[in-house]
Amino acid sequence: MLMISPRMASGMQEKQYTPSLLNFFVYNPTFGQKEGEEEKKILFYHPSDVEKNEKIRNVGLCEAIVQFTRTFCPTKPAKSLHTQKNRQFFFEPEDNFWIVMVVRNPMIEKPNKDGKPPTVEYQEEEIIDTVYGAVVKQCYSMYKLFNGTFGRQMEAGGVELLIQKLEKFFYRYLQTLHLQSCDLLDVFGGISFFPLDKMTYLKIQSFVNRVEESLSLIKYTAFLYNDQLIWSGLEQDDMRILYKYLTTSLFPRHSEPELAGRDSPLRPEVAGNLLHYGRFLTGPTNLKDPEAKFRFPKIFVSTEDGYEELHLIVYKAMSAAACFMISASVELTRDFCEQLDGLVGPQLTLLASDICEQFTVNRRISGPEKEPQFKFIYFNHMNLAEKSTIHMRKTASVCLTSVHPDLMKILGDINCDFARVDEDEEIIVKAMTDYWVVGKKSDQRELYVILNQKNANLIEVNEEVKRLCATQFNNIFFLD
Amino acid sequence: RNKTTSGREHDVNNVFFDEANKQVFAVRSGGATGVVVKGPDDKSSVAFRMDDRGEVKCIKFSIGNKILAVQRTLKSVDFINFIPDYPHTEFTQECKTKNASVLGFCWTSWNELVFITDQGIEFYQVLPDKRSLKQLKSQSINVNWYQFCPETAVLLLSTTVQGNVLQPFAFKSGTMSKMSKFEIELPVVPKPAKLSLSERDIAMATIYGQMFVMYLKHHSRTNSPTAEVVLYHLPREGVCKKTHVLKLNTTGKFALNIVDNLVVVHHQSSQTSLIFDIKLKEPDCAVNTHQPVLPARSIHPYRIPLADSSSWSVFQPDIIISASEGYLWYLQVKLPPTVNLLQDKGKLMDFLLRRRECKMVILSVCSQILQGGEKGRLPIVATVFDKLNQVYKEYLEAEQSYTAAVESGPSRGSAAPKRPVRTQAVVDQSDMYTHVLSPFTERKGVSHKFIIAVLMEYIRSLNQFQITVQHFLYELVIKTLVQHGRFYMLHQFLQYHVLSDSKPLACLLLSLESTYAPAHQLSLDMLKRLSTANDEIVEVLLSKQQVLGALRFIRSVGGHDNVSSRKFLDAARQTGDQMLFYTVFRSFQQRNQRLRGSPGFNPGEHCEEHVVHFKQLFGDQALIKPSTV
C-alpha cells in the first residue's frame, strides 16, 4: 500500500511504503525428510506462484534458523528474525507444525536527480515483534476456529485434507490481513464490551435463557450490540477469536439493510416480515425461498476434553446480534430455522430497541458527547476488555487510527517493556512531535494515554493522567 | 325468621342462631324455659332459665353477652340484664308504631338495638339500670323483610310491593343513617305486581373490604338459561351499583357463603360448590362477568361424614349449620388442591396471593414449577416471580413510608401512622431462598444452565421492582457457578454489576482466587467502589506483598497518617527485599517527622524490632536523626 508521506524533500516527493506481506507458509519438518522430497514439508505457501525450489529454500532456511537457535534455548524457540529488508515470524502452534510469516519492512524511496534509480531506505526498526507475532497467532486461531487443529485434519483425512483445508482457508484470509494497520490492539486481541445498565443486562440474560430453554438444541449463545459484546456463553478464549471474526469479517460484510433504502436489494426479507427485523447473517438469506439451504458455518470451540464442532447461527435484528451455537452432529432443518426466526425475531427486535433507548438516555444524562481531550487505549488481561479512543470504528478493509503511526509505535514499545516485568509500572515518554505518551500498568490492566500538551512538564502530565483515571476508571482498582 | 332454625331433637324445642355473636341457642320449653347458649369459641356453654311466657320467636344477646333480648309476641321484645349486679328481672318494650308487627330485631352495640316492623324501624338504647329503653330514632317505611350485616352494622330493608327496592340503613354508636336505596333487577316483572324478591335470594357480605349485596338470580325461561349471582356494590356513601355477575352455568337450589374473600356458591342437587374471586379478571369475558375459578368440587368433610345437606342452613359469611345433626361448621378454603386444578400458573398466583393462608402453598407452587421437565418454563417462572415481587415490593414500600412517618414524628391533624400488616402473601427473599431456591439448586439431575437461569430470573425480577437483592442470593449464584466451573459467566455478571457490590461479596471473591485468578482483581475493584473498604484493600495488597502498592494506595486516599506503621514494616520485612524495607522505613520516618516533628516511632507503634533491623542492615547513620532546632 502506498502512503504519501507528509514529509517533503526539496520539492521532490518521497514515497513511503508501509509494511506488507511477502510470504506466508506452513510446514512440518517431519514430513518429506528424504532427500529430494523436501517439497512434502510444505503444507501451504503464499504466494503460490513462487517457484518450487525457492519455496523449498525459504522453508529450509526457516527450519535451519529454528533448529540452530534452539540450541541456545530449547524451551523458547526463536520467534522472529530481523533482516534489513524484511522480518520473519515463526510460530509453532502444534507439535512440528510451523507457521512463518515474512513481512517486508516499511521503506522510504527517495528519488534521485539525473535519472538515477531512487534510493531505498528500509526502516527496519519500525516493525514491532509483538504486534506481528500476535498477527501470526491470530491467523492460526482463526484457522482453528473454522477447521479445528492441524492434527485433527491429519487424523481425519491425512496430509491431503490438511493441505486442502489450509489452501481453502488462507487463500481468502490472507487477503484480509492489513499489515499496515496492525498495532497494539492486535497484541491485546481484546473484546469491546457494550456499556449497559443492570436492568437491561438482566433482560438480555432472561432472553438468552429463554431461547436456550425452548430451543434446547442451542448449546451456547453470545449476544452483541453495536459490534460490542454483552454476553458470551462461550469460554473466553473462544469468544475472543469468534469476536474477532464477527467484528472484522462477518458484520462489516452485512451492512445494515434496515438503513438501506426501501427499494434496496439489501432488504428483501424485511419487506415481507413486518413483525420484526430479525434476519440470519449466516445460513439462509431468505427463509421463504423454497430453494433455501440451511447450511451454517461450522466452528470449533474448546471443551474440557478437546474440541467440539458447532453450527454457528448469527441472527441479527437492528443493532443487536445473537450467535447461537448448536452441535454440528445435529442437522439443521427449515423447521428449526423457522422456529428460531419466529421465537427470536420479535424478542430480539424489542430488545434492540430497548437497548438503543437505554443507550441514548444514558448518553443524554452524561451530556453531549465531549470530544475527549485524551486519546487512550485501555486493556484488561483478565476479561480481555479493551477500550480505545484512538481507533475509529473498524471497517471491513482497514482499521483507522486517529494518531500518527510514530505514536502508535511508542505505544507498542511501552507494551513490550511492560511485558518484560511482572511489577506494576508507569512509563512516561515525550515524543518527538511534542506529544506525551504515558503507559500505566496496574495488576492486569494496561492504560496508554496520548496527551497533546506541548508545554506541559512531567508533573503536569502525571497530574493529567491521574485526573483521567479518576474520571474514566473510578470504578476499578487502578493504582496511581 | 331466617335467623333461626328449628330442630326437633330429643327434648329441644327450638334452635336459634345469631349471626352477630355466632351463638347457637337451644330453647327448651315446658314450665320454665331452659336456654343453652354456645358460641364457636366458647369452651363451655351458658345455661339459664326464663319464665315461660309464650313461644320464643327470636332470641339474641347484645354484643358481649350483656343483655339478652327475646321476642315472644308480634308487638314487643323482652329484655334480661346479664350484667352482674344489675337487676335480673325481665322488662319489656312494645313497638311504638300503632298496628305494626315486629318482624325482628338486631343488636347494633352492647346496649343499642333496632326493631324492624312491617311499617318501619325503631332504634333504641337499652338502659339496663333503669330497666327501660329510650328511643333514639325511628323511620317509617313499608317493610317486606329485612337483612342485617353485623360486621358492618348495615340493615337492608325490602320495600315496595315487588320487594325489589332495597333500602339500607347504617348504624353507628347512637346514630342511624339512611343510605341511598337501590333496585334489584328482576328477571321477570310479574303482573299484577306481587312480592317477587325473596329474602332467601339476598345476602350481604364484605368482600375485599367492600360491602356487597349478593342477589341469587334464578334462571328464567326468557332470559338467561342458567342462574347467576349478581353483586351490588354498596358504598357507605354514594350510589349502589351492580358491579359483578358470577356465572353459575347451571340451575337449581343454591346457597352462598363468603370465605377468604371468595364467593362460594353451593349447588344442592349436585352437592358441589363453586368458587368465585371477583378480583380475577376474565380475559375472554365482558368486564365484571366471572366464571368459577375452579371446577365444581364437593365440600371436604371435617371429622364426620357429611350426611344429607338438604337440611343445612347457611349463614353469612362462612357458617353452615345442620340443626338436625347438631353441628355448626365454618367453611374453609383448602388451597393445596387448587394448585392442580388451575392450570394457568399466572392466574393461580393471582388467586393464591389474595388468600389468607397462602404462603406455603405459593412456595410449593414455585417448587413445583421448577420441577418437571417440560419446555417453556422460564416465561412462567418469570411471571410467577414478578407477581410475588409486586406484592413484596408494595409491602416494603408501605413499611418504608411507615418508618419515615414514625421518624418524622407525629404531625398535627393526621392520625398516627399505622404499621402495615404483613400478610402471608408477602413472600420475601429468605422465604424463596429457604423453601424454593436453595433446595432447587441442590436437587440432582437439574442442569446447571437451568438453575442459573432461574436464579438470574429471580434477580431480574427483584431488580425490576427495585428491591435490594440480599447477599445470600448472590452467594447461591456464585456457589452454583463455581460448582460447575462457570467462572467466565461469573466474571461477566460481575462486570455488569448484576451481583451488587458489598464487602461480604468481595471477601467471597477473594476466597475464590486460588481457583480463579481474576477473582482477585474483581474483588479489589469491588472494594474500591465501596469506598468504605480502604483498610481491606490495604490488607489484600499487603497479603500479596505489594507493600509499595499498599502504601501508594493509602496515600492516594489520604489515610497515610493513620495507618499502622508496624503492619507495613512487617510486610516489607517479610518480602526479604532490603531496598523495599528501607523505602518503607524511611517513608514512615518522614511521616513521623511531619506529624510529630520527630522521625522516631512512638512506643505504642511497636516498631522497636524494625528499628533494630534497620540499623543492622543500613547502620545508625542511615536513620533520619531528629533535627536540632
Side-chain angles (χ1 to χ4, degrees), chain A residues 191 193-199 201-203 205-207 209-216 218-220 229-236 239 304 380-385 424 426 440 442-445 473-480, chain B residues 374-379 382-383 449-450 452-454 456-457 459-461 463-464 474 484-489 491-493 495-500 516-521 524-526 528-529 537 541 546 548-550 552-553 556:
Chain A
I191 294 171
F193 286 91
F194 188 78
L196 204 60
D197 67 294
K198 187 178 8 177
M199 198 54 229
Y201 183 79
L202 284 167
K203 275 192 207 167
Q205 273 296 314
S206 188
F207 160 79
N209 289 335
R210 283 175 192 206
V211 173
E212 287 190 2
E213 199 216 3
S214 44
L215 299 172
S216 51
I218 297 171
K219 268 191 117 163
Y220 311 102
L229 187 67
I230 293 178
W231 167 250
S232 164
L234 281 183
E235 287 303 311
Q236 201 177 44
M239 194 60 231
E304 270 163 37
N380 182 356
H381 287 272
M382 282 298 172
N383 60 357
L384 305 181
D424 291 355
E426 187 164 333
K440 274 169 76 83
S442 171
D443 194 22
Q444 298 293 319
R445 295 181 163 106
F473 302 103
N474 59 341
N475 59 344
I476 57 172
F477 185 80
F478 209 62
L479 265 184
D480 286 325
Chain B
E374 71 275 20
K375 280 183 189 174
R377 274 179 296 166
L378 274 178
T383 313
K449 229 174 170 178
F450 186 64
I452 290 158
V454 167
M456 291 317 280
E457 205 57 66
I459 290 174
R460 182 214 38 87
S461 181
N463 272 290
Q464 192 160 307
Y474 292 147
H484 296 94
R486 305 314 298 261
F487 291 106
Y488 189 44
M489 262 191 193
H491 201 134
Q492 295 183 71
F493 290 155
Q495 203 174 313
Y496 282 95
H497 306 296
V498 165
L499 312 178
S500 307
Y516 185 61
H520 177 253
Q521 192 191 65
L524 270 184
D525 290 352
M526 194 174 280
K528 162 88 185 298
R529 284 193 298 269
I537 291 177
L541 292 174
Q546 291 179 309
L548 271 190
R552 282 166 68 192
F553 168 74
S556 73

Side-chain angles (χ1 to χ4, degrees), chain B residues 496-613:
Chain B
Y496 282 95
H497 306 296
V498 165
L499 312 178
S500 307
D501 299 344
S502 71
K503 266 188 211 179
L505 190 55
C507 294
L508 182 59
L509 286 173
L510 267 184
S511 72
L512 292 177
E513 196 195 340
S514 55
T515 32
Y516 185 61
H520 177 253
Q521 192 191 65
L522 290 166
S523 169
L524 270 184
D525 290 352
M526 194 174 280
L527 291 171
K528 162 88 185 298
R529 284 193 298 269
L530 287 169
S531 77
T532 54
N534 292 340
D535 293 345
E536 283 83 352
I537 291 177
V538 167
E539 292 297 333
V540 170
L541 292 174
L542 288 181
S543 73
K544 294 250 134 194
Q545 302 204 325
Q546 291 179 309
V547 187
L548 271 190
L551 207 51
R552 282 166 68 192
F553 168 74
I554 202 70
R555 224 158 41 188
S556 73
V557 297
H560 186 228
D561 292 353
N562 307 318
V563 291
S564 145
S565 42
R566 189 195 158 97
K567 193 156 54 177
F568 281 81
L569 289 168
D570 281 350
R573 201 168 150 186
Q574 248 170 32
T575 62
D577 181 343
Q578 295 190 357
M579 272 326 290
L580 180 68
F581 181 72
Y582 181 87
T583 313
V584 174
F585 191 88
R586 288 298 286 256
S587 140
F588 278 103
Q589 278 199 315
Q590 281 163 9
R591 179 187 84 164
N592 296 343
Q593 178 82 50
R594 186 164 42 79
L595 290 179
R596 303 192 286 263
S598 157
F601 292 94
N602 277 347
E605 294 179 89
H606 303 292
C607 291
E608 294 77 13
E609 54 164 323
H610 292 302
V611 175
V612 172
H613 184 69

Side-chain angles (χ1 to χ4, degrees), chain B residues 152-164:
Chain B
T152 53
V154 169
L155 180 69
L156 199 61
L157 305 177
S158 156
T159 67
T160 72
V161 179
Q162 292 179 121
N164 67 329

Side-chain angles (χ1 to χ4, degrees), chain B residues 440-497:
Chain B
F440 166 63
T441 57
E442 274 155 28
R443 201 181 301 143
K444 286 203 174 68
V446 188
S447 80
H448 69 272
K449 229 174 170 178
F450 186 64
I451 293 176
I452 290 158
V454 167
L455 294 177
M456 291 317 280
E457 205 57 66
Y458 189 56
I459 290 174
R460 182 214 38 87
S461 181
L462 290 169
N463 272 290
Q464 192 160 307
F465 289 97
Q466 291 163 315
I467 300 168
T468 313
V469 181
Q470 284 174 297
H471 178 68
F472 52 74
L473 282 177
Y474 292 147
E475 220 170 279
L476 195 59
V477 171
I478 294 174
K479 201 182 90 190
T480 310
L481 289 168
V482 168
Q483 225 167 39
H484 296 94
R486 305 314 298 261
F487 291 106
Y488 189 44
M489 262 191 193
L490 172 62
H491 201 134
Q492 295 183 71
F493 290 155
L494 288 160
Q495 203 174 313
Y496 282 95
H497 306 296

Side-chain angles (χ1 to χ4, degrees), chain A residues 255-283:
Chain A
S255 65
E256 318 287 322
E258 298 88 38
L259 301 179
R262 192 156 285 279
D263 304 320
S264 156
L266 269 174
R267 45 182 302 156
E269 227 219 318
V270 178
N273 197 343
L274 295 168
L275 288 173
H276 62 81
Y277 287 106
R279 67 203 165 98
F280 288 90
L281 292 197
T282 59

